[in-house]
Amino acid sequence: MFWHLLVLQVLLYVAKGSNENQSHEAGASMVTATIDPRQPLAWSGGSVTLTCSLSNSSVNVNASDFYFYSSSPELREKLQWERINRTSIRTNVTVINKNMSSENISCRFQNETLDQVTLLVADPIPCVVMNWKIMVCTWETFKSRDDVNFTLFYSRRVCQSKRYACPYMGYNETHGECVFKSRQSPWDLSGFMLLHHCLWMRIQGPSFPAFFKLIGFIDTRSIVKPNPVSNCRSGSPNANHSVILTWTSPNKDYEIVYRVTLISKWSASTKNTSKTEMLLDNLIPNTNYMATVDCIPLIGLEGRKRTSGFWSDPSSVIFVTASDVPGAAPRVTPGGYQETSLNASHRRIELIFQPPDERYSHGQIKGYRVNYSLTDSLNKSFSTRSEAKMSTNIILENYADYRLTVEAETESGYNTSLTLDPIFILSQLKKPSFPKQFVVKEDGNGSYFLSWNSMNDVSSYTLYWCSGSLSLSLCVDVLQWKTFLPNETSAELKVTGLPEKILRFFISAEKVLSTGHVISSGMLMSNCTYMQNGDLKPPNDFHVSKAGYSSLTTEWSQPDETSCQHRGYSDAYDIAYCVINKCLHENMTVFRVKSSFESFQINDLEPGTTYSVMIKSVSEDGRASRFEKRNETTEVDISSQNDNLIIVVISIIGGVLCLLCIVIGLACYLHGWVKRKFFDIQITTPERYHATNTGKPAEASYYSYFDLSNGQIPYAARRPGSYISEIQDLLPRKETLSVSSSCYTNETSLLSSSSIETAKSDNVSVKSGNIAGYNKVVECPCLLGSGGSHSDSGSSLPNSDSLSESVDDAVFISSLDP
């Protein structure tokens, strides 16, 4: 029995739930609602309130199940609503801008749309009182909604008072307009100017009744736009570069603030005044100015006055100030010059500068004056004048140091009160050298990559660039420059504003002296601008200049820089060689040398062998040119074939020399009256000399005679008769000889005094004795040939200098030892 009752209760519960669901579904289909207002109008930056109310109150539905929905995701995220009562909900939509116009907003219940409206968004209606006489209000007409009519109404003093329609209405394609004229019933603008009023927009459509939308409160005093000032004039500029500006007020019955704006190419400034004139001072000479004057009403009580309303349209006047001497000197840099040697005593300096900034030129530049003086005689100066715009030439001495300044001239003359930046150009021997390996590359897109070798003892580098021409070596427009630190060796420049036909680049190196002055190497121009990724070209005129037994000397010249515009730069050269017909990759030997090299010697080769020698250009990023190849054969070594003959010849010569020594020794022995004493001296002789007329080495022989037994033969060092008098280069290796020599008779007394001096003759260092106190003079027969004369008088031997000068082909070295 219990189970029967339980089953019956379950069946009754299920049946009840089914009936409720059916009733709910039937109710949802019968729900209706409306949104108010039917035509929501909002001002841009404002908001609009929408209400959704249940239309059929007999349906058992709660408004808490309603919600607002928009097809726009951005607006849908911002929609929020609240329940007003059991049958209504409300939302406030914030209107950000006019882009929200035509957005749809719907009221929904269980995903069904009950009602929908479309937003209309308009700019706030502006109203302007024109010069205190006429007020004009305009608004958007929404021509896209032909079924909606908009009419402007106003109410005086308070918004709840009677509303009046616009006295003069007008429409065009996009806007409506209402005009209020002065002293016209019921509108009296003169009285209206002292009061607050309300503006309304009446909106009416076929699907909804007319309603009023409040635009807002209007204080006509704060929306006045005065007429422009009249008779705006400027007086004549005076010598102090000032002008008096005057004008006439648009309405003398009201207080007005005037704004004067002064505009030139260099600046703009604004000043306010309540007067109808203003002094414009501190003007730049020789400058076009435009002065504009506009005005705005001044309202409020004394002590609390403020500007309000709209600025009038401006009135303007244009005038030009008088010219004057330049206000700045031409801009110079320590390295801004190029030097060309004219002869052994003079050089030409092309000094390059930038004209004074146009703002400070104060007139048309008629020319430039270059003042220069010797650095050690600043009181005596010279000057030269040039009408060139960017450079001038002067002639200076080669071995003098100069200080230069540049100043500009207008029709008013030179400005002698300016402090001029000096340029110091030292003699050719004192200037810093140019940076080496100055290379310019471009990428074709206006970017240029410059590099150079680092230098010691410099303070900075300066890069220069300008537009050039095919006929001129320098610039056709203003030279630009930029300074870099001494540890920088590369730069990237993005050159803009210059014609891209021909761009010239220069570099200089600067150094700061102990005096604080900056000196420079002057400008070095790059003769070529390479393409950053251009094709490489092998060097020109590659050949083998000399073939030895085991070496080949190669030479070449750098590629022609006049045709480098579309090719890459060679950072190095690869020199390879191999035995001809065996030039496989594994048999080749490759050397890499710097691109500044123009010769290279290949050593350790086999005599009498033909080699293939090749060269190619390579870049730092791995690109390379084709190989340039030459075949050359080393010389045959014939020395081994003649070894026996050489031995025989050497033996014969040795025998002859031995016989000659025996004869000479015997001859000296027979002259026993000669007594010999010895004392050590040294002579240092250079091994080889270079003659300036041929540039080739020439031998200088010194003949020595030694006493091998006990110093029986005196010593003399002789030069060849054809002695090379001009020495260009001296090789580093020298040879030192220690010899002993003496030549005097038995009767000769000892030296009373002696001193050792060093005599230098033709880069030969000789230590010789200065001899005095002899009783007799005897010439040594073994030095001068056959027996010489002698004297028993008390005369002394001549000193070493007289001995050296008395014989053209010998330097005698003699001394006595007690």
Side-chain angles (χ1 to χ4, degrees):
M1 185 68 179
F2 172 76
W3 291 107
H4 291 172
L5 292 175
L6 182 60
V7 171
L8 181 60
Q9 288 179 357
V10 170
L11 291 176
L12 290 174
Y13 179 78
V14 172
K16 182 180 179 181
S18 177
N19 291 334
E20 289 180 355
N21 289 337
Q22 291 176 3
S23 175
H24 190 275
E25 292 175 0
S29 62
M30 297 174 62
V31 174
T32 60
T34 58
I35 299 177
D36 185 62
R38 300 301 302 152
Q39 182 59 67
L41 174 65
W43 312 121
S44 178
S47 63
V48 61
T49 300
L50 302 178
T51 302
C52 178
S53 301
L54 181 65
S55 300
N56 187 359
S57 59
S58 62
V59 178
N60 188 20
V61 175
N62 196 310
S64 59
D65 294 327
F66 292 175
Y67 62 93
F68 286 101
Y69 178 84
S70 174
S71 58
S72 169
E74 295 182 1
L75 181 56
R76 186 167 61 246
E77 291 178 0
K78 298 178 181 178
L79 282 176
Q80 295 182 357
W81 55 90
E82 62 177 346
R83 180 174 176 269
I84 303 175
N85 50 46
R86 189 183 68 84
T87 61
S88 302
I89 61 173
R90 179 172 56 198
T91 185
N92 188 272
V93 181
T94 300
V95 179
I96 301 175
N97 50 47
K98 289 185 62 176
N99 294 333
M100 294 179 64
S101 188
S102 301
E103 291 287 353
N104 295 322
I105 299 178
S106 61
C107 180
R108 289 192 172 191
F109 172 71
Q110 293 185 354
N111 294 329
E112 290 188 11
T113 299
L114 304 180
D115 194 12
Q116 179 174 289
V117 293
T118 302
L119 285 178
L120 286 180
V121 181
D123 290 327
I125 295 179
C127 294
V128 180
V129 176
M130 307 301 299
N131 204 37
W132 294 274
K133 293 183 178 181
I134 297 175
M135 185 172 75
V136 179
C137 299
T138 58
W139 63 90
E140 190 174 355
T141 57
F142 296 102
K143 282 296 181 181
S144 60
R145 299 296 303 271
D146 295 333
D147 56 341
V148 180
N149 294 322
F150 299 90
T151 307
L152 186 67
F153 278 71
Y154 68 94
S155 59
R156 305 186 67 174
R157 301 181 185 274
V158 293
C159 295
Q160 289 75 18
S161 61
K162 183 179 178 180
R163 300 187 184 103
Y164 298 91
C166 173
Y168 292 93
M169 291 284 293
Y171 291 95
N172 57 28
E173 288 293 328
T174 58
H175 288 81
E177 181 180 81
C178 178
V179 178
F180 300 88
K181 296 183 179 180
S182 177
R183 297 191 182 278
Q184 180 171 346
S185 180
W187 181 269
D188 185 350
L189 191 62
S190 60
F192 185 77
M193 295 301 298
L194 304 176
L195 303 173
H196 291 82
H197 294 271
C198 292
L199 289 182
W200 299 82
M201 183 64 71
R202 183 177 182 272
I203 306 169
Q204 184 177 14
S207 59
F208 56 89
F211 67 93
F212 286 90
K213 175 74 174 180
L214 177 64
I215 297 174
F217 294 96
I218 291 180
D219 180 359
T220 55
R221 297 172 300 176
S222 63
I223 58 173
V224 175
K225 180 179 180 180
N227 285 345
V229 301
S230 57
N231 300 321
C232 186
R233 298 174 182 176
S234 64
S236 299
N238 56 32
N240 296 325
H241 309 298
S242 61
V243 171
I244 296 179
L245 190 67
T246 61
W247 60 89
T248 301
S249 172
N251 194 326
K252 298 180 180 179
D253 296 332
Y254 296 92
E255 291 188 274
I256 298 176
V257 172
Y258 301 96
R259 179 174 63 185
V260 178
T261 302
L262 188 63
I263 302 173
S264 72
K265 185 177 181 179
W266 322 115
S267 62
S269 61
T270 300
K271 294 181 180 180
N272 293 342
T273 181
S274 58
K275 299 180 181 180
T276 55
E277 67 176 22
M278 179 177 287
L279 174 64
L280 306 177
D281 54 2
N282 296 322
L283 303 179
I284 300 175
N286 194 56
T287 300
N288 292 324
Y289 282 95
M290 182 176 70
T292 63
V293 181
D294 53 2
C295 58
I296 192 171
L298 185 67
I299 65 174
L301 299 177
E302 194 68 34
R304 300 178 61 183
K305 292 184 178 182
R306 58 184 176 87
T307 59
S308 183
F310 302 94
W311 286 99
S312 69
D313 294 332
S315 298
S316 61
V317 62
I318 296 175
F319 59 90
V320 182
T321 53
S323 62
D324 201 350
V325 296
R331 185 173 175 232
V332 296
T333 182
Y337 66 91
Q338 278 197 317
E339 180 175 320
T340 304
S341 179
L342 298 178
N343 49 46
S345 60
H346 288 84
R347 50 185 166 159
R348 181 176 66 244
I349 300 296
E350 184 166 11
L351 189 64
I352 306 167
F353 47 82
Q354 289 181 353
D357 191 296
E358 187 179 355
R359 177 175 182 175
Y360 304 106
S361 62
H362 294 176
Q364 183 178 0
I365 300 298
K366 297 177 59 178
Y368 297 89
R369 182 170 65 189
V370 179
N371 308 303
Y372 58 99
S373 59
L374 295 173
T375 56
D376 55 359
S377 180
L378 297 179
N379 294 329
K380 185 178 181 181
S381 62
F382 309 89
S383 64
T384 180
R385 188 182 181 279
S386 171
E387 295 184 358
K389 295 182 179 180
M390 295 168 291
S391 64
T392 185
N393 291 321
I394 55 175
I395 306 300
L396 302 179
E397 295 181 3
N398 285 342
Y399 302 105
D401 303 335
Y402 291 89
R403 179 186 186 272
L404 296 86
T405 57
V406 185
E407 50 188 335
E409 178 190 17
T410 65
E411 60 183 9
S412 300
Y414 298 98
N415 190 345
T416 57
S417 63
L418 291 176
T419 300
L420 306 177
D421 294 330
I423 300 176
F424 293 90
I425 301 180
L426 302 192
S427 65
Q428 294 174 329
L429 300 178
K430 296 179 182 179
K431 295 193 309 177
S433 59
F434 293 118
K436 304 297 183 182
Q437 291 294 102
F438 179 45
V439 179
V440 180
K441 304 176 186 178
E442 64 169 314
D443 64 356
N445 297 317
S447 293
Y448 292 83
F449 305 89
L450 299 87
S451 61
W452 57 92
N453 287 352
S454 178
M455 299 174 60
N456 295 325
D457 198 25
V458 297
S459 60
S460 63
Y461 304 100
T462 304
L463 294 179
Y464 311 80
W465 63 94
C466 66
S467 292
S469 67
L470 294 175
S471 59
L472 298 176
S473 61
L474 283 178
C475 304
V476 295
D477 63 359
V478 176
L479 183 73
Q480 307 291 334
W481 59 76
K482 184 178 180 180
T483 302
F484 294 84
L485 298 175
N487 59 345
E488 296 180 281
T489 57
S490 63
E492 178 180 352
L493 297 177
K494 188 73 174 182
V495 179
T496 58
L498 294 179
E500 295 187 2
K501 293 181 180 179
I502 300 178
L503 286 180
R504 300 195 182 279
F505 294 90
F506 310 81
I507 192 172
S508 66
E510 283 72 50
K511 179 181 179 181
V512 179
L513 301 178
S514 59
T515 59
H517 298 152
V518 180
I519 61 174
S520 175
S521 63
M523 295 164 53
L524 172 68
M525 183 175 71
S526 170
N527 294 321
C528 187
T529 300
Y530 298 90
M531 290 299 297
Q532 188 179 25
N533 298 314
D535 296 333
L536 299 183
K537 181 181 179 181
N540 295 335
D541 192 26
F542 176 63
H543 63 281
V544 178
S545 60
K546 182 179 180 181
Y549 297 119
S550 61
S551 65
L552 294 174
T553 302
T554 60
E555 293 182 355
W556 60 88
S557 60
Q558 303 292 340
D560 186 8
E561 291 190 341
T562 59
S563 60
C564 63
Q565 287 299 116
H566 302 290
R567 62 180 174 85
Y569 175 72
S570 302
D571 294 289
Y573 297 121
D574 281 354
I575 301 172
Y577 72 92
C578 56
V579 177
I580 194 170
N581 299 327
K582 296 182 180 179
C583 288
L584 298 177
H585 181 71
E586 59 270 14
N587 296 330
M588 295 179 63
T589 303
V590 181
F591 300 95
R592 176 162 293 184
V593 299
K594 296 180 179 180
S595 59
S596 58
F597 283 31
E598 291 189 340
S599 65
F600 184 77
Q601 180 172 301
I602 305 173
N603 298 312
D604 300 326
L605 304 180
E606 294 294 330
T609 305
T610 301
Y611 289 89
S612 288
V613 184
M614 295 160 280
I615 191 171
K616 69 177 180 180
S617 301
V618 294
S619 66
E620 60 183 6
D621 58 3
R623 293 176 295 110
S625 70
R626 58 177 175 82
F627 266 120
E628 191 77 12
K629 184 173 72 171
R630 298 291 184 270
N631 296 331
E632 190 66 37
T633 304
T634 55
E635 291 186 358
V636 178
D637 188 1
I638 62 173
S639 60
S640 60
Q641 302 177 4
N642 300 321
D643 286 346
N644 294 333
L645 179 60
I646 293 174
I647 293 174
V648 172
V649 172
I650 292 176
S651 300
I652 294 174
I653 294 175
V656 173
L657 291 177
C658 290
L659 181 61
L660 181 61
C661 291
I662 294 173
V663 172
I664 293 174
L666 182 61
C668 288
Y669 178 76
L670 294 177
H671 292 273
W673 47 271
V674 179
K675 183 179 179 180
R676 302 163 181 87
K677 294 286 184 180
F678 298 94
F679 130 103
D680 291 338
I681 62 173
Q682 288 187 343
I683 175 172
T684 301
T685 62
E687 182 190 19
R688 297 161 67 92
Y689 296 102
H690 279 222
T692 57
N693 56 347
T694 64
K696 297 182 178 180
E699 300 290 337
S701 302
Y702 285 78
Y703 302 95
S704 302
Y705 300 88
F706 295 93
D707 180 2
L708 302 180
S709 59
N710 193 15
Q712 298 300 312
I713 300 176
Y715 163 82
R718 293 181 179 272
R719 296 190 291 258
S722 59
Y723 175 65
I724 300 169
S725 60
E726 292 184 14
I727 299 172
Q728 184 184 39
D729 190 16
L730 182 63
L731 297 180
R733 189 169 68 87
K734 296 182 180 181
E735 181 180 1
T736 300
L737 304 176
S738 294
V739 299
S740 299
S741 175
S742 177
C743 181
Y744 60 94
T745 64
N746 292 333
E747 293 86 0
T748 304
S749 62
L750 298 179
L751 281 172
S752 59
S753 63
S754 64
S755 62
I756 303 299
E757 297 179 347
T758 300
K760 293 185 178 180
S761 174
D762 298 325
N763 289 330
V764 178
S765 177
V766 181
K767 288 185 178 179
S768 61
N770 186 10
I771 305 169
Y774 284 96
N775 294 327
K776 296 181 179 180
V777 176
V778 178
E779 294 182 349
C780 300
C782 56
L783 283 176
L784 302 179
S786 59
S789 61
H790 64 275
S791 171
D792 292 336
S793 64
S795 62
S796 63
L797 284 174
N799 60 29
S800 59
D801 292 336
S802 62
L803 287 174
S804 299
E805 294 173 357
S806 63
V807 182
D808 291 335
D809 62 344
V811 175
F812 294 93
I813 304 172
S814 30
S815 179
L816 293 175
D817 186 71

